[in-house]
């Protein structure tokens, strides 16, 4: 199964971009991983937040195929332990779909239309994370789930 991190924008901080790239490279033996960023909405004093989120949401939705399995990172989602990530990934692999897409909204959050398209809503818990940091955590958890399923010692419960 291929893995895609679909985000609003790309990481601006070098250390975050390097961390994401590192974990995506580690996914090569497990189907590979890539990062695609859509253009963020231009935010200004007269731009309503909801309209900016809707614009970003349309860009995200345009990158999805109807056959994709989509997990949206959303504060209202369910917080998974690493073992739950692994179980969900195992189920995803058995779904017959060829691509798992983890969608991460921008600075304003995720458009409701994207959340409705998602097969799962996943949260990293109550704290709000910067979307670039959320992408790094998502890449690491995806890699960790793969190593759990492969029985490798990366993860210690």
């Amino acid at each position: 199964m291929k893995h895609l991190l679909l985000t609003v924008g790309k990481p601006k901080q070098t250390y975050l971009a390097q961390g994401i790239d590192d974990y995506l490279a580690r996914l090569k033996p497990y189907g590979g991983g890539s990062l695609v960023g859509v253009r963020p909405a231009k935010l200004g004093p007269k731009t309503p937040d909801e309209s900016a989120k809707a614009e970003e949401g349309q860009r995200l939705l345009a990158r999805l195929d109807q056959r994709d399995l989509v997990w949206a990172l959303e504060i209202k989602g369910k917080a998974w332990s690493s073992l739950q990530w692994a179980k969900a990934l195992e189920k995803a692999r058995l779904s017959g779909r060829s691509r798992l897409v983890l969608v991460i909204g921008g600075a304003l959050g995720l458009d409701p239309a994207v959340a409705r398209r998602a097969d799962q809503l996943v949260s990293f818990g109550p704290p709000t994370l910067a979307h670039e940091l959320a992408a790094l955590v998502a890449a690491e958890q995806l890699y960790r789930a793969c190593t759990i399923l492969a029985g490798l010692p990366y993860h210690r419960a």
Side-chain angles (χ1 to χ4, degrees):
M1 172 173 263
K2 293 181 181 177
H3 311 95
L4 172 66
L5 288 180
L6 179 59
T7 65
V8 173
K10 289 215 176 182
K12 293 179 184 105
Q13 300 297 325
T14 304
Y15 71 95
L16 291 171
Q18 288 173 338
I20 293 167
D21 288 346
D22 176 53
Y23 284 110
L24 293 177
R26 292 181 191 200
L27 287 171
K28 282 184 184 175
Y30 308 104
S34 58
L35 171 70
V36 171
V38 301
R39 187 170 44 88
K42 291 187 180 182
L43 302 177
K46 295 184 180 184
T47 308
D49 287 356
E50 294 309 311
S51 122
K53 279 200 308 191
E55 180 183 329
E56 292 172 349
Q58 288 307 308
R59 290 184 187 132
L60 291 168
L61 289 169
R63 293 296 193 128
L64 296 174
D65 184 282
Q66 72 179 41
R67 297 168 295 189
D68 288 336
L69 184 63
V70 178
W71 295 352
L73 279 287
E74 164 63 48
I75 192 81
K76 297 173 187 166
K78 184 174 181 194
W80 289 345
S81 69
S82 295
L83 293 175
Q84 288 171 312
W85 271 83
K87 287 178 185 175
L89 180 59
E90 184 174 44
K91 187 176 176 182
R93 289 176 175 174
L94 297 172
S95 73
R97 303 204 197 167
S98 61
R99 187 169 80 160
L100 172 63
V101 182
L102 278 67
V103 181
I104 300 166
L108 299 173
L110 195 63
D111 182 57
V114 179
R116 285 191 299 274
R117 164 60 180 90
D119 298 285
Q120 291 281 344
L121 296 179
V122 184
S123 171
F124 289 133
T128 300
L129 298 179
H131 59 285
E132 295 175 334
L133 182 56
L136 175 60
V137 174
E140 192 280 337
Q141 282 300 294
L142 192 55
Y143 173 70
R144 183 178 296 272
C146 288
T147 63
I148 290 169
L149 294 175
L152 297 176
Y154 177 80
H155 176 77
R156 298 282 190 237

